[in-house]
Amino acid sequence: MRGRFITFEGIDGAGKSSHIEPLAARLRCSGHVVLVTREPGGTPLAEQLRDALLHTPMDTLTEVLLVFAARRDHVKQVIAPALARGETVLCDRFTDATFAYQGAGRGFDLAQLTALETWVHADVQPDRTLWFDLPAELAAQRLTGARPPDRFEQQSPAFFERVRTGYLARAEAFPKRFVQIDAAADRESVGRQVAAALEGHI
Ligand code: TYD
């Protein structure tokens, strides 16, 4: 049986990444074979593209094409084979991030993103998406003092509010797949929300 494909989304500073490994550990304890991966990244080539995306100035079309090139390699080399083996794939960001960051954040044409999505991975779509939602101002406070900011983390709270609105639009378009997590809550509460969001879905 095909495995489950679970994605984790949210603006920078939402705290999603710190919940993925503990979740993977719990799932492994209950007998799942779990693959944890991330975007952009997840293969040697896609990790090189990630480095360019995060640190090299470029226009938005270039950004979109690099994100989807990285995604193509990741889906083909890693995600699709793992799902075919029946594994549970936990992926830190996927195509919803492109709609939110490049689409809502940068203003890139959403119809063109949809065309690329169909071209690159029409046959591989997340089964469930956990959207870690919180106000941009709060996320910015959490990021302050962390490592030096990359090209995205340097953006203004106004940019991240647009990204957040982009996630909201995706959640409304795919209500069965998306689960909104209140990421402003304390860590234990977020952990409980994550577990509840996956109950009966893995
Ligand atoms: P992120 O998960 O925030 O990595 P880290 O926690 O190590 O900073 O991802 C890196 C950045 O890439 C993030 O700011 C969002 C951006 N991004 C896009 O702009 N478009 C995309 O399609 C993806 C997958 C990520």
Side-chain angles (χ1 to χ4, degrees), residues 152-163:
F152 295 99
E153 290 162 350
Q154 285 164 14
Q155 297 292 322
S156 65
F159 173 86
F160 285 110
E161 275 305 333
R162 289 201 299 281
V163 174

Side-chain angles (χ1 to χ4, degrees), residues 162-173:
R162 289 201 299 281
V163 174
R164 187 184 182 200
T165 307
Y167 277 124
L168 176 62
R170 295 291 284 175
E172 286 173 351

Side-chain angles (χ1 to χ4, degrees), residues 8-13 16-17 38-41 50 53-54 63-64 67-68 71 92-103 106 143 147 150-154 159-160 163 167:
F8 299 81
E9 298 283 0
I11 60 175
D12 290 81
K16 64 188 162 39
S17 305
R38 69 171 181 181
E39 290 221 337
R50 175 192 178 91
L53 275 159
L54 297 191
E63 203 170 280
V64 165
V67 162
F68 273 106
R71 184 162 298 136
D92 191 343
R93 300 191 185 281
F94 197 59
T95 299
D96 296 306
T98 316
F99 280 88
Y101 279 78
Q102 281 67 47
R106 303 257 202 242
L143 281 178
R147 48 177 192 202
D150 62 38
R151 279 179 65 239
F152 295 99
E153 290 162 350
Q154 285 164 14
F159 173 86
F160 285 110
V163 174
Y167 277 124

Side-chain angles (χ1 to χ4, degrees), residues 65-187:
L65 294 172
L66 288 187
V67 162
F68 273 106
R71 184 162 298 136
R72 159 73 181 169
D73 195 53
H74 190 206
V75 167
K76 181 143 176 72
Q77 309 287 345
V78 174
I79 297 175
L83 294 174
R85 291 191 299 267
E87 296 177 12
T88 301
V89 176
L90 306 182
C91 191
D92 191 343
R93 300 191 185 281
F94 197 59
T95 299
D96 296 306
T98 316
F99 280 88
Y101 279 78
Q102 281 67 47
R106 303 257 202 242
F108 193 85
D109 185 78
L110 298 181
Q112 290 187 21
L113 293 183
T114 302
L116 280 162
E117 177 184 27
T118 305
W119 194 26
V120 170
H121 64 90
D123 51 339
V124 177
Q125 294 290 350
D127 297 296
R128 204 123 180 103
T129 297
L130 277 55
W131 169 35
F132 286 63
D133 182 41
L134 82 176
E137 288 289 356
L138 187 53
Q141 285 167 23
R142 289 186 178 178
L143 281 178
T144 313
R147 48 177 192 202
D150 62 38
R151 279 179 65 239
F152 295 99
E153 290 162 350
Q154 285 164 14
Q155 297 292 322
S156 65
F159 173 86
F160 285 110
E161 275 305 333
R162 289 201 299 281
V163 174
R164 187 184 182 200
T165 307
Y167 277 124
L168 176 62
R170 295 291 284 175
E172 286 173 351
F174 302 99
K176 288 200 183 121
R177 170 165 70 85
F178 260 78
V179 185
Q180 186 173 6
I181 305 282
D182 173 15
D186 62 64
R187 201 185 144 75

